[in-house]
Amino acid sequence: MKVQVLSVKPAIAPNTQEVVLSLGADTHKFIFTTEVNKVAEHLLQTTRGDRTFSEVFRFNQRVAMNVTNLVVKCYNNEIVNFPEDVGIFVTPEAALLKQKQFENSSLAGSQLQQPTVVDPEIRQRAIAILEKLPESVLDEAVKFLESLYIKGDRVD
């Protein structure tokens, strides 16, 4: 399905924009937030869509990036002509089929893809530590552990 940004206009809250998209024949509204922070002597501008936007475009990252780039242009008072095509939306199934093609490549039989055995005692201790963490930091802990696993899996 073709995705077009129909409009970007300031929302009620400060530094927020209401983005209206057409996704095929349907119209959707999302809220984007822009933050500007000073890092050293530079201003760092960050723009992100709301949770619903992230969920809808989870398997369409290129389209999500194109939408975000248009929102940034509008926030920075650059001229944008609407409607603006931002890409083709694919279903999660179609996205996964494309991903499986990569999994079936020559890397599939490499050592990087082989599961590693974890000592059961160490595994239980790690689970006990994770269970004691407050809910507010659990997602960050899981992301950190995943990054360690990926890095550790590549070590000879």
Side-chain angles (χ1 to χ4, degrees), residues 4-148:
Q4 287 186 320
V5 176
L6 302 177
S7 68
V8 177
K9 55 187 174 185
I12 296 172
N15 296 324
T16 60
Q17 298 83 31
E18 180 184 82
V19 179
V20 180
L21 299 175
S22 70
L23 182 57
D26 298 329
T27 302
H28 300 272
K29 289 182 183 179
F30 301 101
I31 299 295
F32 277 70
T33 305
T34 300
E35 296 177 1
V36 179
N37 296 302
K38 189 170 184 177
V39 178
E41 294 184 18
H42 303 282
L43 293 177
L44 178 66
Q45 181 176 321
T46 307
T47 300
R48 59 184 163 75
D50 60 16
R51 179 178 293 269
T52 306
F53 177 81
S54 298
E55 290 172 5
V56 169
F57 289 94
R58 177 174 58 198
F59 295 102
N60 292 270
Q61 293 297 303
R62 172 90 48 209
V63 175
M65 181 183 67
N66 292 341
V67 172
T68 304
N69 287 341
L70 280 178
V71 174
V72 168
K73 285 182 178 182
C74 290
Y75 181 86
N76 291 331
N77 297 316
E78 295 179 31
I79 296 173
V80 179
N81 296 318
F82 296 109
E84 179 76 31
D85 292 341
V86 289
I88 302 297
F89 185 87
V90 296
T91 64
E93 295 80 16
L96 290 174
L97 281 175
K98 289 181 181 180
Q99 200 172 31
K100 289 184 192 252
Q101 291 172 357
F102 176 75
E103 290 175 1
N104 292 331
S105 72
S106 63
L107 292 177
S110 73
Q111 244 182 340
L112 295 177
Q113 299 295 323
Q114 301 300 322
T116 56
V117 178
V118 177
D119 182 276
E121 183 182 334
I122 293 173
R123 181 183 180 89
Q124 288 305 316
R125 288 182 12 209
I127 291 170
I129 291 169
L130 284 173
E131 288 174 341
K132 291 178 185 176
L133 289 175
E135 187 71 29
S136 61
V137 297
L138 196 54
D139 286 343
E140 263 324 293
V142 170
K143 287 177 188 175
F144 175 72
L145 290 172
E146 286 175 341
S147 73
L148 288 178

